[in-house]
Each structure stands twice: as C-alpha cells, then as structure tokens.
Amino acid sequence: MIYFIILIAVIAIVTYLVLSMDVFGAEPKGKRLERMLKSKNYKNKQFQNQSFTPSFAEGYSMPKVMFDFFFSKKDPLLKPLHTIPNVQTDLKNLSEDEDVFIWMGHSSYLIKIDGVSFLIDPVLSTFGSPFKFFNKAFEGADLFKPKDIPNIDYLVITHDHYDHLDFPTVKAIREKVGKVIMPLGVGAHFEKWGYSPEQLIEEDWETVVDLKNNFKITFTPARHFSGRKFHRNNTLWTSYVLETPTKKLFLGGDSGYDNHFKTIGEKYGPFDYAILENGQYNPAWKYIHALPEDVIQASIDIQAKNIIPVHSGKFALALHPWNEPLQKVTTLGKEKNLHILTPKIGEILDLNKSDQHFQNWWE
C-alpha cells in the first residue's frame, strides 16, 4: 500500500512540475478574469460557440477517434515523401512600396500592407506541440526561424492552441513586436512570457480596435475551442476583419463551418482577401475544423474575391494525405469559379495584383 501511495505522490509531483513549465502559459485571473466573466460569450465557466458545438460529429466518439488515430493503417502520404518546396524570401528587406502576403506553413503568415506589418499565429519551431519530440514539422516546411522575422507592428493571435501560439517563437521575437492582438484570456500567457500589459490588445467578439495609419481590426466569431492545459475553453478564439485604407481582409483562424461566415460577409464583406483554414480536418471533428467543401461555402458566404488556404503543409495533425487539402480546395474552387491562391512557403503573393497564379507545387 505504501508503494502505491508513493507512486501516486510521484505522479502528482511530476505532473505539477510539467504543467508549471512556461510553455503551458498561465491561467487568467484578477481583472482579466473579471472581464471574461462579463463577456456574453462566457457561460458555465467557459467560453461558448454561438451554435451548439459537440467535440465529435454524430456517429463518432472519443474511443473510436483515438483508436483510428493511433492504431488504424496510415495513408502512405500522411507525410510528404520529399522536401516541401519553398522560397527563401528575405523578410527583413521587403520593399516598402509593396503590399505582400507571405505564408510560412500551417497557419503562420506575414502581411505587410500600406506600410504596416502583421505577423499571424507564428509557429517557427520545428514542432507544433509543447514538446520537441512530438508533432514535428515536415522537412522544408520549417524554412523560417525567429531570427528571420523583422520588426513587426502587430503580432496577431487567433487562439492559444500550440500549433497557433508557439511559446519559443513569441518569446524569441518579443523585442521585435510592437503590439499583440489576441482574444480574451490569452494575454495571461503573454504576461507570463515577459510581454508588458501595455503591448496587449485583448478583446471580445464584435470589438473594433483602431490601429495605426487609419487601420482597424474587428474581432469576429469563429467556431472552435481553446486551451493549453486541461481547462478547455478558458480563453476565447476568434477570427478577424482587417480593414486598411485600401483593402479589406478576413483572417479566419481555426473554425468549423457555421452561419457566422454569412453574417460576417453581410456585415463586413465583400473581402479582397480571405485567409481560411483548410487542413487537419476529419469528418469526426467537422464542427471545429472546416472540411474542404466547407471552405468553399465559407468563401462564398463571406463574399471573398480571393481565397488563400492555410492550416496545411507543415504538420500532420489529422489522418488525410498531407497534400489532400490543397488538391481538394483548388478542385472544388475551380468548379465554383473561385480565385484560390496557393503560394509556396516563402513565396511572395502581391496583394496589388489580381491576375496571380501559382504552381500546383504539392503534386
């Protein structure tokens, strides 16, 4: 009996020490928690989606999903057989006169527009998890490192999952960042990691924030979830409407399909560009991650003139072939006469050109 008690005590101590590591961030408290409790989106001790959102779709369960993930036969193209094609662009010497989008793999990208720079969900580690040995990046997809990042006006975070909020990256670039834009609760992580409260722009859905040079950003709903420890949904997740003096962009973040896309399109659209999640999906979790056909419908709903699919090309977080998301969304988009842009990692997409075409580099 005494050995069993000792074992339990050791497990408890180890668990406490692991979860105290910086990578797991911090729990919201104090005035931050007070703000969260006042949010109309915070109910029953957690943030809620606008529609009922079960973890798994009908006909699926946690045991079934976990069994398939760990024990089912994997697709031979779950991970690429060759190095991911990329373009080594010098981010620190981009022309001041150009408006550009540069994808860094998965959901990480840089936007420089009308002289203002935005870095969205940068995961520039060689892994997309709390630990280096898990969820490693594909060869060639880890092209950019924190040292490659120039000074950034705004670091933008959609939610606090490890494949979107990477502790090693945001810690390494802290001195290069002007302000950080994030949904409610996420600021607790940043303050633990050394960012000052004055740097943080932390808001709820439907909040409009004026930025420099007559830019503004609006926090808009997404259908997802959050959490870095065991406490699910103790921070908010979001999409964004970014309006510049010359353009309007939708930054989708992670989201399952729902009627919020149509509402956003009617209220804020049409959009010159929409950057939408397309990848790491499964019919089992279609309510929190869009399937390719959902991406197409969302693009139509928000009235997007140009669509840039992200959330693929770097990590294997689902069971589909690594290149299936881009194959499907481009095929489906062509059927609907949508303009879908698919640059390689690091390849410059000129936001002022309407006739750009990119190779099917994933084939």
Side-chain angles (χ1 to χ4, degrees):
M1 183 65 180
I2 186 65
Y3 294 111
F4 177 74
I5 294 174
I6 292 173
L7 177 63
I8 295 298
V10 169
I11 292 174
I13 292 170
V14 170
T15 300
Y16 173 79
L17 291 175
V18 170
L19 293 179
S20 297
M21 295 169 59
D22 283 346
V23 67
F24 291 102
E27 298 292 326
K29 58 183 179 181
K31 292 183 178 180
R32 175 171 286 109
L33 181 58
E34 290 177 12
R35 287 189 66 203
M36 291 165 51
L37 294 174
K38 292 177 182 177
S39 170
K40 67 179 181 180
N41 303 303
Y42 193 90
K43 302 172 185 176
N44 301 322
K45 298 183 179 180
Q46 63 178 7
F47 285 104
Q48 305 283 345
N49 284 296
Q50 291 183 323
S51 299
F52 173 64
T53 304
S55 299
F56 300 106
E58 297 77 6
Y60 294 91
S61 64
M62 175 66 82
K64 175 176 171 53
V65 170
M66 295 304 290
F67 181 87
D68 289 344
F69 199 85
F70 288 106
F71 300 109
S72 65
K73 185 177 180 181
K74 301 298 186 291
D75 191 286
L77 288 178
L78 178 67
K79 297 181 180 181
L81 303 179
H82 306 287
T83 300
I84 295 287
N86 59 53
V87 177
Q88 183 71 67
T89 295
D90 184 353
L91 304 180
K92 294 181 178 179
N93 286 294
L94 296 170
S95 172
E96 292 296 327
D97 301 325
E98 291 183 314
D99 296 340
V100 300
F101 167 98
I102 298 174
W103 182 46
M104 300 176 181
H106 200 60
S107 287
S108 306
Y109 51 94
L110 173 71
I111 294 174
K112 192 168 185 180
I113 187 167
D114 293 333
V116 183
S117 56
F118 298 83
L119 181 62
I120 291 83
D121 287 356
V123 179
L124 306 181
S125 302
T126 56
F127 52 94
S129 74
F131 308 109
K132 294 182 179 180
F133 55 83
F134 184 69
N135 192 24
K136 292 187 176 181
F138 303 151
E139 185 177 350
D142 57 345
L143 175 67
F144 294 104
K145 310 297 181 187
K147 64 180 177 59
D148 300 317
I149 300 300
N151 290 334
I152 296 293
D153 293 304
Y154 298 100
L155 170 61
V156 181
I157 303 296
T158 61
H159 63 295
D160 69 0
H161 284 157
Y162 300 102
D163 61 320
H164 292 258
L165 177 52
D166 182 48
F167 163 65
T169 298
V170 299
K171 181 181 178 182
I173 66 174
R174 185 178 62 194
E175 299 302 322
K176 302 178 180 182
V177 173
K179 299 280 188 178
V180 189
I181 299 171
M182 74 204 81
L184 285 177
V186 179
H189 304 316
F190 278 87
E191 286 191 24
K192 180 172 182 176
W193 298 337
Y195 283 72
S196 69
E198 292 73 28
Q199 284 181 279
L200 310 183
I201 300 173
E202 184 178 358
E203 298 295 344
D204 201 352
W205 292 340
E206 309 304 336
T207 302
V208 182
V209 178
D210 291 325
L211 306 178
K212 65 189 299 185
N213 294 9
N214 294 317
F215 280 58
K216 68 178 180 179
I217 195 164
T218 304
F219 292 67
T220 46
R223 192 183 193 188
H224 200 53
F225 68 109
S226 70
R228 290 177 82 82
K229 294 184 182 178
F230 300 122
H231 298 151
R232 187 180 174 99
N233 297 350
N234 68 331
T235 58
L236 187 60
W237 49 97
T238 194
S239 59
Y240 295 100
V241 171
L242 176 61
E243 296 178 78
T244 85
T246 60
K247 295 175 182 64
K248 190 179 292 185
L249 296 87
F250 179 66
L251 318 181
D254 278 4
S255 180
Y257 182 75
D258 204 1
N259 56 18
H260 67 281
F261 287 111
K262 190 168 184 61
T263 300
I264 290 169
E266 292 172 347
K267 188 171 183 179
Y268 302 104
F271 291 94
D272 298 292
Y273 291 89
I275 300 98
L276 295 174
E277 172 211 8
N278 174 59
Q280 319 321 311
Y281 51 74
N282 187 313
W285 56 76
K286 66 178 183 178
Y287 294 126
I288 53 177
H289 280 291
L291 301 173
E293 54 268 33
D294 296 330
V295 176
I296 297 303
Q297 187 58 54
S299 302
I300 295 170
D301 288 353
I302 62 172
Q303 305 171 46
K305 299 175 185 176
N306 300 281
I307 302 101
I308 306 172
V310 297
H311 210 247
S312 66
K314 187 167 185 176
F315 304 115
L317 303 177
L319 298 177
H320 56 67
W322 78 271
N323 57 355
E324 180 185 280
L326 290 171
Q327 288 176 337
K328 283 194 170 184
V329 79
T330 51
T331 299
L332 292 170
K334 191 174 295 184
E335 294 172 0
K336 296 289 187 179
N337 293 317
L338 298 178
H339 194 209
I340 297 181
L341 301 167
T342 55
K344 301 173 186 173
I345 291 175
E347 188 173 9
I348 291 178
L349 189 161
D350 190 329
L351 296 172
N352 291 321
K353 292 183 178 179
S354 60
D355 59 346
Q356 290 179 98
H357 299 279
F358 296 94
Q359 297 176 337
N360 292 348
W361 53 267
W362 56 88
E363 293 182 346

